[in-house]
Amino acid sequence: MPLPLLPGNSFNRNVGKEKFHKSQHWGFCNNVMMLVSEEKPGIGGEPLLGQKIKPKSTIYPQGDGSDLPSWVAFDKQVLSFDAYLEEEVPDKSQTKYRIRYYKIYYYPEDDTIQVNEPEVKNSGLPQGTSIRRHRITLPPPDEDQFYTVYHFNVGTEVVFYGRIFKIYDCDTFTRNFLRKLGVKVNPPVQCPEDPYTKIRREILEHVEPLRPYESFDTRKQFLQYHGKVLRFFCLWDDSVSMLGDRRELILHYFLCDDTIEIKELLPDNSGRDPTKMFLRRSKLPKDGHTRVYQPGQITDRTVLNLYGDLKRNQEDGYLLDKHKLGKVDQEFYKDCDLSLGVTINVWGRKVLLYDCDEFTKSYYKSKYGIENFTSVSCKPPSPPPKIERKFPPYNGFGSEEDSLRNCLGLKPTPHRKNFKKFMEKDRYGLESNILRFFAKLDTEKYVDLDRIFVISYYLADDTISVFEPIENNSGVTGGMFLKRSRVKKPGQPVFKSELSEYFKAEEFYIGVTVNVNGYVFHLLNADEYTLKYMEQNVDKYPFSDFERSLQKVKQEESRSRELKQVFRAADCKHTKMVDYNTFRDIVMTFTHGNLSEQEFITIARHYRVPEEICPDGDFLLGLAQEKFKKNFFENFDRIIYACGYEDREKKNVLPTKDIKRLCKSFRLPLTDDLLESLLSRFENSEKQIDYKSFFSTLDWRKNPVPELHAQEYLKQRCEDVWLGMPSPIPAKNIDYFTFLKDTVGLEEE
C-alpha cells in the first residue's frame, strides 16, 4: 500500500519543486549581461555540491527608488578614507619604524579601490599612487570574495595584499553615505606622528641661526615668482562726486617684488584721455591718504656709522642700529590682503575687487587653501524697464515701410533702402545681376496652358517683373504682365503691425512653383547668366552644386551595369555622346525621380559637348556696327588720325597689339571676344593690320552692312512631365562616357 503524499512520508527530494530547467551560460551582473562560465549552477538554478556563488552585484539594501544600474546611480561618487601604515625601517639607527599616511578611495559604482599616498616634501620615499584602481579580494580564507562598502569603517583595519592599513578618519560625504546604508560610523581615531619627521623637524629648528641682523635677500622671491602676476578686476565707484562715474580697472600684483600697478579700461567714446596707467608700478601703502614720505625715510636698516681706512688691509664697512631707533613703520598691501569682495585704499580712492583670473584662483587655492571664488556682483543699478513700443496695424495707404516710419517720430523720414546692396548688385558692364526664368502658369484652364512667361528677379533691390512674349494669332495680349516691384509671400494678413515677408532670390530655381500675387508659376528653365550665377553661389542654391547632384546618381551604384548597357545601346555609332533628350530620359529613369530639374541641368551643363561656332565676317561686322549704332559711336576719323600718328614710317599698318590698345583708349563699345575676332580677320601673316581699311570697314555711316536678323531658338522635343511644351534646351549633345567614369568608374576601352 503506497504511503500518502504528506511531509515526512516521501523520500523524493523533488517533491514541491517547480523548476527543472537547465541553467544557461549567460547571466546579469550590475544589470549588464555577462558570461557565467564556472559559476554556472545546477538543475533549476540551484548551486552544485561544494559550489560557492560569488556576489554578482554590489551589496546595497533595496530602496524605493527606480531600479537603475549601479554605474548610473553612483556615477562620480567616491568614498574617501584616511589611513596610515606602520612600516619597518631596515636602518634602525634613528627610528625603528615609519608612519606613512594614505588616502583610500572606494568607488561604489563597481566596488573598485584605489590607494594614494600624498607627497611629503623631503620624505625620501617614493609616493603617489600606491595601488591602482581595481577590485581587491579579501585576505585568505575568503580570497574568492571582494571588498564591499561594509568592510570599511573608521577605526578598523583592512588588508590589501598583505599590508595592513588602519583607517582613522573619513570625509563628511563618506560618513553620510555610510549612515544612509545603516552603518554606524565610529568617531575619528588619533593618528600617530611619524617619528622620523618629528626628529627632522627638531633638527631644523636648532640649526636655524639667530643673528643680530636679519638678512633681506629678495633674490629667492624674485627667482621663484618672476613673471607670475596676480590679476584682479576692480571697480572704483566715483558716481557720488560731481561729474563722476563708475571706472573699470585691472589690478596687477607682481609676486616677485610685491608691487602693484593699476590700468583703466576705457569704453569706446568715453570722452576721457587714453591714459596708459591709472597707477604706476610701486608698492601700495595701506594708509596712503595720510602723508607721503620722502625718499630715504623708509628703509630696511638703520646705519649708525661707517668705518674704513683705519688699517691698510681693512675693508670698508658700516655699523647698523641694533635697536632700530627712528624706524618708520609703514604697511604695504601684500597678496594675503587681496581677495574677492575686499575694498582697498588706492591713495584715498576706494577700489572694490570683484573678480580675478584663473591663475590667481589657483595661486590662492594652493597657498591659502581658499576654495570660494564667487565673483562679486557690481553691476550698475538697472535702468527702468523700457516700455515696449506697439505700432498700429498697416492701414493700406502707401507702403508698409512708409507707414511704419510715420509711427517712429513726429517728423517722418523716408525709409532707408540698402544702398550698399544696390551698388554691389546693380548692372555693371556685362554683369546684369538679373536672374531670368522661363515659366508657365500652373492652371487647369485650357486657354492658359500654352502661355509662356519670362520672370526677372533683380538682385539689386529684390524686385520681380513678369513679361509675356507676344505671339501672333494666340488670342492673348502679351507684354508686361507684372510691373517691376517686390512681391509678398502668400498667406500673410494684409493689416498687421509687422512688416511683410517678400520673395528672396534663393527661392527661385528650375522646377519650383511660386505664387506671384495669386498666379501660380512653374519655373521651366533659365538663361545662361542665371545658371552660371547659381553655380557660382552654391551656398544659396544647393541644387546647383555639381558634387551634391552627382552624389545622388552615385547612390544607385548597384545598377551601374544596367546604366552602362543602356548608354551603349543608345550610342549606336560609338561616338561616346548622346543627345540631350536621350541623356535626360536615361538619367531620370535611372534615379527614379530623386533628381530635381535644377540638379539634372547642372549635371548636363557640366558634361555637355561644346559646339564650335565660327561666325562669318559679315556677321561679325554686322554685330559690331549694331553695337556702334546703339551707342552712337562715330569717332572713326579720330581713331584713324591717331593711328597715323603712331605710324611713324607711314606704311599704313600697325601691330595688332597697338590697334587693340587704341581701341581700348577710345572706348569702343565692343566685347573682348568680338574685338579679338575682328582683329584676327584683318591680321596679316606678320601680325599687322591695315588700320585705314579696318576702321573704314567698321564705320557704319560710310560702309553700312545689312541688318542682322534674330536667329530662332533651337527647339527639340521635351517630355510633358518636365515642361509641358517645347523650350530651348541647355545643351545639344552630352558626353556620357565621362559621366560614367565619374559615377560608376568606367574605364576607357
Side-chain angles (χ1 to χ4, degrees):
M1 180 178 179
L3 296 175
L5 190 57
L6 295 175
N9 295 332
S10 177
F11 299 98
N12 188 1
R13 297 179 180 271
N14 295 329
V15 174
K17 188 175 181 180
E18 297 179 356
K19 297 182 180 179
F20 297 94
H21 64 278
K22 186 177 180 181
S23 301
Q24 60 181 5
H25 286 272
W26 294 92
F28 286 87
C29 180
N30 292 339
N31 292 340
V32 178
M33 189 172 63
M34 301 178 64
L35 185 63
V36 178
S37 66
E38 350 170 292
E39 298 181 1
K40 174 183 176 184
I43 300 299
E46 296 182 356
L48 300 174
L49 295 177
Q51 183 181 17
K52 293 182 179 181
I53 303 299
K54 295 182 181 180
K56 298 181 180 179
S57 59
T58 307
I59 303 175
Y60 295 109
Q62 295 293 333
D64 298 333
S66 59
D67 189 13
L68 294 176
S70 61
W71 52 272
V72 176
F74 302 108
D75 185 28
K76 298 181 181 179
Q77 296 185 11
V78 185
L79 307 183
S80 176
F81 297 92
D82 297 327
Y84 68 91
L85 173 67
E86 294 184 5
E87 187 179 42
E88 186 178 0
V89 179
D91 185 11
K92 300 182 180 180
S93 59
Q94 295 180 347
T95 59
K96 297 181 180 181
Y97 62 93
R98 293 287 301 271
I99 300 296
R100 303 182 67 172
Y101 305 99
Y102 292 90
K103 282 279 189 181
I104 300 177
Y105 298 106
Y106 178 82
Y107 298 86
E109 62 182 53
D110 54 358
D111 296 338
T112 55
I113 300 172
Q114 181 179 357
V115 181
N116 291 348
E117 183 179 5
E119 295 184 1
V120 180
K121 189 176 182 181
N122 297 328
S123 64
L125 299 174
Q127 297 169 334
T129 302
S130 179
I131 300 177
R132 294 185 178 179
R133 179 180 174 181
H134 65 285
R135 296 185 70 186
I136 301 177
T137 59
L138 294 173
D142 299 327
E143 63 273 6
D144 58 340
Q145 300 181 14
F146 297 93
Y147 275 100
T148 62
V149 69
Y150 292 103
H151 293 93
F152 294 89
N153 201 341
V154 178
T156 61
E157 296 180 356
V158 291
V159 181
F160 297 155
Y161 301 109
R163 306 179 73 184
I164 302 176
F165 294 87
K166 299 179 181 180
I167 302 175
Y168 64 89
D169 199 0
C170 64
D171 58 0
T172 306
F173 173 77
T174 305
R175 193 178 299 274
N176 296 334
F177 188 88
L178 294 176
R179 286 176 180 175
K180 291 180 181 179
L181 294 180
V183 179
K184 183 180 179 181
V185 184
N186 301 326
V189 182
Q190 184 178 3
C191 178
E193 186 179 2
D194 184 17
Y196 176 77
T197 306
K198 182 179 179 181
I199 294 174
R200 184 173 178 82
R201 184 173 64 251
E202 293 176 355
I203 294 175
L204 292 177
E205 290 177 357
H206 290 83
V207 169
E208 186 176 358
L210 297 177
R211 302 283 183 178
Y213 302 110
E214 297 179 359
S215 61
F216 297 94
D217 189 3
T218 58
R219 286 178 294 179
K220 178 180 179 182
Q221 180 182 1
F222 176 80
L223 295 175
Q224 184 178 0
Y225 295 107
H226 178 62
K228 297 182 179 180
V229 183
L230 305 181
R231 183 171 64 169
F232 291 90
F233 300 96
C234 316
L235 175 68
W236 174 35
D237 192 357
D238 191 35
S239 57
V240 294
S241 61
M242 184 180 295
L243 303 178
D245 56 356
R246 298 164 62 88
R247 311 278 286 273
E248 295 286 342
L249 308 174
I250 294 181
L251 185 145
H252 291 159
Y253 184 90
F254 297 87
L255 295 173
C256 60
D257 55 358
D258 299 327
T259 55
I260 294 176
E261 73 173 11
I262 300 178
K263 296 182 178 181
E264 183 176 4
L265 296 178
L266 292 176
D268 297 336
N269 302 324
S270 63
R272 297 185 179 275
D273 294 334
T275 56
K276 185 177 181 181
M277 286 293 177
F278 184 81
L279 176 67
R280 67 177 183 177
R281 180 177 175 180
S282 61
K283 288 190 176 183
L284 181 62
K286 294 183 179 180
D287 54 348
H289 64 285
T290 56
R291 61 174 296 188
V292 178
Y293 294 94
Q294 297 297 327
Q297 286 186 270
I298 301 177
T299 58
D300 296 331
R301 299 178 178 88
T302 303
V303 180
L304 287 178
N305 198 358
L306 300 175
Y307 59 88
D309 297 333
L310 299 178
K311 295 181 180 180
R312 180 174 298 178
N313 297 328
Q314 186 178 2
E315 297 180 357
D316 296 341
Y318 57 87
L319 296 177
L320 299 179
D321 186 3
K322 179 179 180 180
H323 301 284
K324 300 180 181 179
L325 300 176
K327 179 183 179 182
V328 179
D329 294 329
Q330 188 177 20
E331 294 184 3
F332 297 95
Y333 280 105
K334 302 290 184 180
D335 56 349
C336 58
D337 301 324
L338 306 179
S339 62
L340 299 184
V342 173
T343 301
I344 62 175
N345 180 14
V346 182
W347 299 104
R349 297 167 179 82
K350 302 299 180 181
V351 176
L352 173 65
L353 310 182
Y354 65 88
D355 201 358
C356 60
D357 59 359
E358 294 299 329
F359 172 75
T360 307
K361 294 178 182 179
S362 62
Y363 173 79
Y364 279 95
K365 184 177 180 180
S366 60
K367 186 174 182 179
Y368 298 104
I370 300 176
E371 298 288 344
N372 186 14
F373 295 98
T374 305
S375 59
V376 181
S377 178
C378 57
K379 295 182 180 179
S382 58
K386 188 176 181 180
I387 301 176
E388 183 181 359
R389 180 180 294 183
K390 296 183 179 180
F391 301 101
Y394 175 59
N395 55 10
F397 293 94
S399 63
E400 295 182 359
E401 291 79 5
D402 292 338
S403 299
L404 181 61
R405 299 298 298 180
N406 292 331
C407 304
L408 296 179
L410 296 177
K411 186 177 180 181
T413 56
H415 173 67
R416 297 183 61 182
K417 298 182 180 180
N418 193 346
F419 184 74
K420 180 181 178 181
K421 180 180 179 181
F422 175 79
M423 294 300 296
E424 292 177 352
K425 298 296 182 181
D426 193 19
R427 183 184 184 93
Y428 179 77
L430 298 178
E431 293 290 333
S432 63
N433 287 316
I434 302 175
L435 307 182
R436 292 184 176 88
F437 298 89
F438 298 99
K440 69 172 183 178
L441 283 173
D442 189 358
T443 179
E444 296 180 356
K445 295 182 180 180
Y446 181 78
V447 180
D448 298 333
L449 290 178
D450 295 337
R451 299 176 65 181
I452 196 77
F453 298 87
V454 178
I455 300 178
S456 301
Y457 189 95
Y458 299 85
L459 299 174
D461 53 359
D462 298 330
T463 55
I464 300 174
S465 67
V466 182
F467 179 81
E468 184 178 6
I470 300 175
E471 188 173 354
N472 297 329
N473 301 325
S474 63
V476 178
T477 304
M480 184 62 67
F481 187 82
L482 174 65
K483 189 178 179 181
R484 178 179 176 180
S485 61
R486 291 198 301 169
V487 179
K488 299 180 182 179
K489 294 182 180 180
Q492 303 182 74
V494 179
F495 305 102
K496 61 182 184 303
S497 301
E498 299 80 11
L499 297 178
S500 300
E501 296 183 4
Y502 295 88
F503 278 107
K504 299 181 180 179
E506 296 83 5
E507 301 176 11
F508 286 80
Y509 55 89
I510 299 175
V512 74
T513 301
V514 294
N515 189 338
V516 180
N517 296 339
Y519 293 91
V520 181
F521 291 93
H522 181 67
L523 304 187
L524 309 176
N525 207 338
D527 60 358
E528 182 69 17
Y529 175 80
T530 303
L531 295 176
K532 285 184 178 180
Y533 179 83
M534 290 191 292
E535 291 173 359
Q536 293 172 358
N537 299 272
V538 295
D539 53 337
K540 297 181 180 179
Y541 301 93
F543 293 114
S544 296
D545 189 357
F546 171 72
E547 298 295 337
R548 180 176 178 271
S549 304
L550 196 64
Q551 189 63 30
K552 289 188 177 182
V553 182
K554 292 181 180 180
Q555 293 177 358
E556 304 291 338
E557 191 176 358
S558 58
R559 302 174 53 202
S560 59
R561 185 175 182 181
E562 178 184 353
L563 182 64
K564 298 175 185 177
Q565 294 176 355
V566 173
F567 273 113
R568 288 172 180 172
D571 186 16
C572 301
K573 299 181 180 180
H574 303 286
T575 58
K576 298 182 181 180
M577 59 182 181
V578 293
D579 61 280
Y580 175 82
N581 292 314
T582 304
F583 182 77
R584 184 185 181 279
D585 294 340
I586 296 174
V587 173
M588 284 299 187
T589 305
F590 180 72
T591 56
H592 301 288
N594 295 331
L595 213 61
S596 63
E597 297 299 333
Q598 182 73 44
E599 292 173 333
F600 171 75
I601 292 179
T602 303
I603 295 176
R605 285 170 50 82
H606 184 80
Y607 293 104
R608 63 181 174 182
V609 178
E611 299 180 9
E612 297 181 359
I613 301 176
C614 298
D616 54 358
D618 295 339
F619 176 78
L620 293 176
L621 289 175
L623 188 61
Q625 290 189 2
E626 185 177 357
K627 295 284 186 181
F628 293 142
K629 289 180 183 179
K630 289 182 179 180
N631 293 274
F632 297 100
F633 186 86
E634 299 178 349
N635 296 331
F636 296 101
D637 295 337
R638 294 180 57 189
I639 299 177
I640 295 175
Y641 178 78
C643 292
Y645 180 79
E646 294 286 341
D647 186 12
R648 300 302 174 91
E649 298 180 359
K650 304 302 179 181
K651 295 183 178 180
N652 295 331
V653 292
L654 285 176
T656 305
K657 61 179 182 179
D658 294 341
I659 298 293
K660 185 177 181 180
R661 177 176 54 82
L662 291 172
C663 292
K664 292 290 185 181
S665 62
F666 279 89
R667 297 183 179 181
L668 266 67
L670 302 177
T671 61
D672 293 340
D673 296 338
L674 181 58
L675 182 60
E676 291 286 347
S677 301
L678 290 172
L679 293 175
S680 62
R681 293 282 180 178
F682 289 84
E683 189 179 31
N684 57 16
S685 59
E686 298 179 356
K687 293 186 177 181
Q688 292 182 346
I689 297 177
D690 186 353
Y691 54 86
K692 291 185 178 180
S693 174
F694 176 70
F695 289 108
S696 299
T697 306
L698 295 179
D699 192 350
W700 57 278
R701 288 286 189 185
K702 299 179 180 179
N703 301 309
V705 296
E707 295 183 358
L708 298 177
H709 297 283
Q711 298 181 358
E712 297 182 356
Y713 279 108
L714 176 62
K715 298 184 178 181
Q716 293 190 7
R717 179 188 60 83
C718 297
E719 293 181 1
D720 294 339
V721 179
W722 179 39
L723 298 181
M725 63 175 299
S727 178
I729 60 175
K732 185 175 181 181
N733 296 317
I734 308 297
D735 184 5
Y736 76 89
F737 189 81
T738 307
F739 169 75
L740 290 178
K741 286 198 299 184
D742 295 343
T743 53
V744 299
L746 180 63
E747 297 182 357
E748 189 173 359
E749 297 179 357

